[in-house]
Amino acid sequence: MSQPRNQMMNYIREEIMPHRFCPGCGCGTVLNVFTNAIDNLKLDPVKMVCVSGIGCSAWIPSPYFKSDTLHTTHGRPIAFATGVKVMRPDLKVVVIAGDGDVSGIGGNHLIHAARRNIDLSVFMVNNMIYGMTGGQVAPTTPTGVKTSTTPHLNIEPPFQVAELVAAAGASYVARWTTYHVFRLIKAMEEAITKQGFSFIEIVSQCPDNYGRRIGLRTGVEFLKMFKKQAIPIDKARELPEEKLEGRIIVGKLRDRERPEYTSELHRVTKEQVDKIKAEQEKIS
Amino acid sequence: MQAGSKMTENKPKSNWVIEINENLCKGCEICIEFCPFTIFGKSDKLNRKGYYLPVVLIENKCNGCRLCELLCPEIAIVLTEE
């Protein structure tokens, strides 16, 4: 019996569907939303490069998204993507990776890419744990959660990655959850078209490896929690800090214009080459 | 005001058809929970992989907001306008 086919399957390697994510996993929603954003922008996937690292979230572009993909070593997707962008500034380079990849192991690459303001779109899927390897503590795990490497309690405060990247100098920074799908599509469109480093933290659910440790065993319970805990950034600014404990601040954190790295680099290189040529002509 | 009423008169009431790809669905029940009109329900029907599939209970109530289609982690819901 032939099954109905979603139009977004045009952007997905259909022969390997259904994907390997757990039932109710947020990574599938991110894949869905990402294909919708690409469809709205009418971008040709052939003119895109998707870079990912290691982890569940790194599986979103590679192997499922039908563009050129680079599946790189753990924590290094932004380093690889920087290389791609410098050599081929005409391509749209998108990094989709997990919180362990981008903020944990590759944390330095993230802040330096933001400081350089290189034209990359980084979508960090934050499921608050190292899910693929069995639920080890991540830099984004909230305080007081029992994980397999913190069996008593996690005593470390979590990283506020979106605020960190905004402070490091990125052009566009936003945070949404997998519940806010329409806002997320719009944010992804803005991030991809923005010149400069654009970063979206997507707070996502992991029902299997994180949810069972905090008592949220299904994707539905997670999405209800996101709906309840999310607070728009305009409202959050008016509230005192103690009232924001445990809330997820969503919205556009930063949208500004700054000189972009690759265009500046090519401009400086061209100037130097012209200078040397002029000097050589003078000598001869 | 007049223009607005004219627009609503001229706009034909579109009929949305919801279909679910049984090969892709993993029975996470997100569509059942988050549809604003609670159109979906849980069925007794198992798919090939052993997941309980959702079923469309009241189809003519759908206004085509596409929330189920976008929230679906499996890209299994197909919404078409007739």
Side-chain angles (χ1 to χ4, degrees):
Chain A
M1 199 181 100
S2 78
Q3 291 290 335
R5 182 176 179 276
N6 195 313
Q7 281 301 304
M8 295 307 137
M9 285 294 169
N10 297 339
Y11 298 95
I12 288 169
R13 296 202 174 100
E14 221 177 335
E15 63 275 14
I16 42 172
M17 292 295 274
H19 53 59
R20 270 74 161 172
F21 302 130
C22 310
C25 174
C27 295
T29 309
V30 177
L31 177 66
N32 194 345
V33 165
F34 181 60
T35 51
N36 273 280
I38 297 299
D39 190 55
N40 291 352
L41 288 173
K42 303 270 175 287
L43 275 180
D44 188 1
V46 176
K47 295 203 173 107
M48 284 176 70
V49 177
C50 289
V51 190
S52 69
I54 301 296
C56 292
S57 324
W59 276 58
I60 296 168
S62 163
Y64 299 117
F65 191 69
K66 208 190 240 173
S67 72
D68 280 341
T69 49
L70 252 170
H71 207 135
T72 69
T73 45
H74 198 9
R76 313 291 168 233
I78 294 174
F80 280 82
T82 304
V84 174
K85 188 70 198 178
V86 169
M87 287 315 290
R88 292 291 302 271
D90 54 314
L91 298 174
K92 286 269 177 215
V93 186
V94 179
V95 177
I96 305 182
D99 53 319
D101 232 9
V102 170
S103 77
I105 296 176
N108 245 337
H109 296 300
L110 176 72
I111 52 173
H112 287 289
R115 179 177 61 84
R116 285 180 192 130
N117 202 28
I118 183 160
D119 188 16
L120 303 176
S121 311
V122 179
F123 303 146
M124 187 187 87
V125 183
N126 180 3
N127 59 5
M128 295 169 266
I129 206 148
Y130 284 96
M132 185 181 260
T133 47
Q136 287 85 1
V137 68
T140 44
T141 309
T143 319
V145 176
K146 287 181 183 179
T147 68
S148 56
T149 43
T150 54
H152 305 298
L153 274 182
N154 177 29
I155 53 164
E156 299 165 16
F159 233 149
Q160 299 291 327
V161 189
E163 279 84 354
L164 172 83
V165 177
S171 276
Y172 182 94
V173 182
R175 186 195 282 119
W176 293 105
T177 75
T178 43
Y179 175 72
H180 305 91
V181 275
F182 295 106
R183 304 294 188 90
L184 191 52
I185 290 178
K186 198 159 173 285
M188 279 189 178
E189 287 170 19
E190 284 176 352
I192 291 168
T193 45
K194 185 89 187 169
Q195 279 288 313
F197 192 80
S198 36
F199 179 85
I200 303 176
E201 179 181 347
I202 307 161
V203 181
S204 167
Q205 69 267 32
C206 176
D208 268 35
N209 249 332
Y210 180 61
R212 68 187 160 108
R213 293 169 209 276
I214 59 163
L216 304 169
R217 283 178 173 270
T218 60
V220 174
E221 284 173 62
F222 256 105
L223 289 178
K224 276 184 182 167
M225 188 265 273
F226 291 157
K227 192 181 173 184
K228 206 176 136 200
Q229 301 288 350
I231 177 163
I233 186 154
D234 302 336
K235 268 190 189 173
R237 280 198 187 114
E238 291 163 10
L239 288 175
E241 209 168 284
E242 60 267 18
K243 279 201 177 173
L244 295 173
E245 198 78 18
R247 305 293 296 266
I248 304 162
I249 301 166
V250 294
K252 197 195 287 181
L253 274 79
R254 201 60 64 89
D255 193 355
R256 62 182 163 192
E257 301 297 329
R258 273 189 67 213
E260 198 268 321
Y261 179 76
T262 40
S263 56
E264 289 290 298
L265 180 75
H266 287 283
R267 183 178 62 81
V268 170
T269 326
K270 199 173 170 288
E271 273 176 15
Q272 286 299 315
V273 170
D274 290 347
K275 210 173 159 187
I276 292 165
K277 269 184 189 166
E279 275 174 14
Q280 279 176 346
E281 271 170 26
K282 225 184 247 176
I283 294 162
S284 61
Chain B
M1 195 64 195
Q2 273 182 343
S5 58
K6 214 175 185 180
M7 265 176 79
T8 44
E9 267 173 37
N10 289 352
K11 201 183 170 191
K13 199 171 175 284
S14 52
N15 198 14
W16 292 88
V17 180
I18 308 165
E19 290 168 298
I20 293 156
N21 190 324
E22 291 180 11
N23 293 344
L24 295 181
C25 182
K26 285 184 193 152
C28 69
E29 301 176 22
I30 286 175
C31 51
I32 300 175
E33 189 64 41
F34 287 97
C35 175
F37 299 105
T38 51
I39 284 169
F40 296 95
K42 201 175 174 178
S43 72
D44 300 333
K45 199 181 162 192
L46 286 168
N47 72 354
R48 220 166 39 150
K49 300 205 160 144
Y51 293 115
Y52 285 105
L53 292 167
V55 65
V56 180
L57 296 175
I58 22 176
E59 193 161 302
N60 51 14
K61 231 178 160 183
C62 179
N63 72 346
C65 74
R66 293 183 72 222
L67 187 63
C68 57
E69 197 185 19
L70 292 172
L71 272 176
C72 179
E74 313 299 324
I75 321 180
I77 299 176
V78 184
L79 231 70
T80 37
E81 196 176 2
E82 272 192 350

